[in-house]
Amino acid sequence: MVSAVILAAGKGRRIGFKKQFFRVGGKPMLYHSIEVFKRLGIEDIIIVVPKDIPENIKGILKDFKAVEGGKERMDSVYNGVKVAEGEYVLVHDSARANLSIEVAKRVLYEEGECVIPVIRSSDSVIYKGKYVNREETFLVQTPQKVKRDLYIKAYEMSGGKVFPDEGSLISEVLGIRPKFVDGDRWNFKITYRDDLEVFVKMKTENLFAFSYDIHRLVKGIPLYLGGIKVSDELGALGHSDGDVIIHSIVDAALSSLGYGDIGSVFPDDDPRWKGVRSEVFAEITMDILKKEGWRIKNADIVVILSKPRISPLREKIVENLKRLFGLERVSLKAKSGNTFFEDAVQCYAFITLAPLEYPYEV
Ligand code: MG
């Protein structure tokens, strides 16, 4: 049996925040490599974490063993290896979040007491003022596989000396030469902000989402569209204020992120939402989006309404939608010459979502 120890206790000093918990493509960075190990059928997964774990990460950790990190990397590994049940342990940096299943497989299936993935440097290397032969130079990655008992033995014999990784500890303390397998260049360690930006671009794509809403029009209540009052005489009947533009955008955004639809998040039998302005839905939706690591970039909207004409208010509605949803572009088309739905207001909304580009969670 093989266990995996994922190191996620770093303080992120060089990048300025705990990047292992930063969400990329809808999941915390550390989860990207957890998924690779799960796909390989590894069930005993140990996450080495810092003392102060963000609240929203605790839910993810409950499915795994979590242990606290130590002073040095090798101490953190030791804490994880101690509770591992496998005969072998794969030790991995959560900062190598772009680990491919192929590299993980090469390490896992190679026989040997210590197996490490390496790549050749494509740049020349200077050591102490002298060029070294690039052909004899390797860059060392993770995951590194090591026999559990061997790691514990080497660690306990290390006599306070600090080793940068498992391969160096095993080879220098026990004299066992690690076996090399091919890593890959994309298994890079996310250390600086530009590494993170590259990873975000690799892992996330723009999302497109679409929705539609319709409400009956009745006399004597106000009509709101995009949060702007459009009429006092003929308004949309609904549990909330019946704002079809906000509802369509919220519905599209929530469903694209797997939250069901607007009715799943704001049920119309929940008294909390009775009579509320739909701007409240917009604000809550924005919080959900932020939590998931997304923002809405553009919205293309078609409103179908016989009267009143909304074109005089178009700019106002567009500006308010930009403010509410942080949109870059909004196009709003109004169709009024419709004789079939005079007693209703309808809206089609097509939105694009983009990943958040900057850390918002420390
Ligand atoms: Mg609605």
Side-chain angles (χ1 to χ4, degrees), residues 23-41:
R23 278 177 181 267
V24 180
K27 54 198 163 204
M29 195 194 287
L30 87 105
Y31 206 75
H32 287 266
S33 34
I34 290 178
E35 280 181 341
V36 173
F37 296 117
K38 280 171 73 174
R39 279 177 63 196
L40 285 173

Side-chain angles (χ1 to χ4, degrees), residues 212-215 240 242-244 247-248 262:
Y212 165 79
D213 196 22
I214 178 167
H215 281 251
S240 64
D243 189 324
V244 287
H247 290 189
S248 305
I262 187 169

